[in-house]
Amino acid sequence: MRNIRLYCFFIIISVIPNSLKSQTVYFSAAHVNLYEFIDEMSTAGIISTHSVVKPYSRSFIAGKLAEVATKDSLLNKRQKAELAFHLKDFRKELATLADTLKKFQPFYFAYKDSFFTLCIKPVAGSYFYQNSNGFMYQRWIGAEAFAYVDKHWGFYAGLRDYNENRAFSSPAYLELRQGFKYKNFTDYSEMKGGITYSWKWGHIGFVKDQMIWGTNYNGSNLFSGRTPSFAQIRMKLHPVKWFEFNYVHAWIISEIADSNSRVFNGKIYLNRPKYLTANMFTFRPVQPLSLSFGNSIIYYDFDYPGYIIPTFFYKSLAHTNSVNGETVNAQLFFDASLRVFKRLHVYSTFFIDEVSMSNVFNKSKSTNFFSIKAGCAADNLPIKNMKLIVEYTRSNPLVYQHDVAMTT
């Protein structure tokens, strides 16, 4: 009976991908298993994705899962089980009746009609480490909600309160966990969400969230997504299949005291403002190949509007609007991704903070601040249901720092 219900659901969603509305609600890239599944399906040639910019939207993911479901004859037993599992969380986008939602998701509050969709759910979880050095745990509790209104508006919000028996995050730890701002030694919380407006070939939104730019399997060297979430204006345009443009302007917590700030018991009550602007141009000359380039700038004086123009090369502004470029910090980056032979993904990213062409091969000069990543991932090779990843990363000293603390 379970297989019959799943088969009927696949039949229902087989006609949905082309009719999905364009609302945008971001689905956190912290759901690693889902993003790995999407990547696997893309590498297998079952679907096509641009993997350089994350997170994806819920409607985008739902459409890709529905597309995979129409080609389930190409999946093995494990892949079918994963697909069925992931579809459970996206029936809000794919179901056509509100009572269908209630049937499939008894622990959610869910409502859907032709104009309005709403979903509210509690979240809770924990994990722990145990070894010869002792026991560490983290637990969290909170709630998440999202809504679609009409054909264009999307809203989402999520709050999680965390507790740890020992601090997990520290600049001294080399790891891939997200960092946090602790309220005390072991407690912190995070609020994420936003509002978006979408149309057929793009969307724009004001959100507080993470961003991951750069193809990777073990941490991006462009924008890693490991910072606490920050407020940002986010825009994505994809007017044709072979081109995509992404833009972000963000407000960042500098943790550098303003001259007017009050300091009490070692706590700063007013930080100096700090901003980040970044863009990414992605081209797909042929379907398996994706080529991207972009640049970013970090600055702390908001009195010059040139820094927020989406399509600019910001290094030029650093040269023309500051003394020796010291009041801003500009970067340049590239990404290449090739999915070939339908099981092999080859990729590379290159992040440049500063390069002196006359000293590129001079090891005695510390003026080449760059980070490079290259790797390949093979799905179901050499053994079925096995993923083999080889990834190399090199980051030169000082590449993510700057002479001026405000623009690190």
Side-chain angles (χ1 to χ4, degrees), residues 25-297:
V25 166
Y26 291 107
F27 190 72
S28 173
H31 297 86
V32 177
N33 291 339
L34 172 60
Y35 277 83
E36 288 183 348
F37 181 76
I38 294 291
D39 180 84
E40 180 184 357
M41 295 297 101
S42 185
T43 301
I46 297 174
I47 57 176
S48 176
T49 61
H50 294 290
S51 59
V52 65
V53 173
K54 299 181 179 72
Y56 303 144
S57 71
R58 289 188 61 93
S59 59
F60 174 84
I61 295 173
K64 293 302 177 182
L65 292 177
E67 186 178 349
V68 173
T70 64
K71 305 174 184 178
D72 66 317
S73 61
L74 302 176
L75 308 183
N76 61 36
K77 182 178 180 181
R78 187 266 307 169
Q79 292 169 334
K80 290 180 180 179
E82 283 199 39
L83 174 63
F85 175 79
H86 294 310
L87 280 170
K88 291 179 181 179
D89 194 31
F90 289 88
R91 288 190 171 95
K92 279 75 68 179
E93 284 76 17
L94 298 172
T96 56
L97 298 173
D99 59 350
T100 305
L101 291 174
K102 294 177 182 178
K103 179 179 178 181
F104 283 126
Q105 297 290 0
F107 299 108
Y108 292 5
F109 170 80
Y111 174 82
K112 184 183 181 77
D113 61 30
S114 60
F115 180 79
F116 181 67
T117 299
L118 174 65
C119 178
I120 303 174
K121 62 179 180 179
V123 293
S126 66
Y127 65 86
F128 63 88
Y129 296 124
Q130 173 77 53
N131 62 18
S132 59
N133 294 319
F135 175 79
M136 296 177 66
Y137 74 84
Q138 180 192 74
R139 64 96 181 126
W140 62 90
I141 188 170
E144 296 177 351
F146 68 88
Y148 301 123
V149 179
D150 199 13
K151 297 180 180 181
H152 304 285
W153 292 98
F155 304 83
Y156 73 107
L159 174 63
R160 295 191 180 194
D161 185 77
Y162 294 83
N163 175 263
E164 301 168 354
N165 66 329
R166 293 164 57 186
F168 273 37
S169 297
S170 167
Y173 300 156
L174 184 62
E175 57 168 356
L176 294 179
R177 292 186 69 257
Q178 179 189 332
F180 292 95
K181 178 67 175 179
Y182 286 96
K183 294 182 291 185
N184 49 46
F185 295 109
T186 58
D187 290 291
Y188 54 91
S189 65
E190 182 162 54
M191 184 83 204
K192 295 194 293 186
I195 176 174
T196 64
Y197 181 84
S198 306
W199 56 98
K200 185 176 180 180
W201 51 274
H203 66 260
I204 188 170
F206 184 48
V207 304
K208 182 177 180 289
D209 213 329
Q210 276 91 16
M211 54 182 279
I212 301 176
W213 287 16
T215 306
N216 73 94
Y217 290 94
N218 194 48
S220 174
N221 60 339
L222 305 187
F223 293 107
S224 69
R226 292 174 55 204
T227 63
S229 60
F230 46 82
Q232 56 193 273
I233 295 172
R234 185 180 292 180
M235 181 172 66
K236 178 179 179 179
L237 308 176
H238 47 93
V240 290
K241 290 183 178 180
W242 52 266
F243 174 71
E244 179 178 300
F245 174 75
N246 285 272
Y247 167 80
V248 164
H249 181 272
W251 288 256
I252 304 174
I253 305 293
S254 70
E255 295 190 321
I256 295 179
D258 189 270
S259 58
N260 296 319
S261 67
R262 293 188 299 112
V263 179
F264 181 72
N265 287 340
K267 293 183 179 180
I268 298 172
Y269 286 86
L270 184 61
N271 296 315
R272 293 197 65 182
K274 181 177 179 178
Y275 312 96
L276 164 70
T277 300
N279 58 33
M280 181 76 84
F281 301 82
T282 300
F283 298 88
R284 178 168 282 182
V286 292
Q287 184 168 328
L289 177 64
S290 177
L291 299 173
S292 303
F293 69 89
N295 74 130
S296 59
I297 190 167

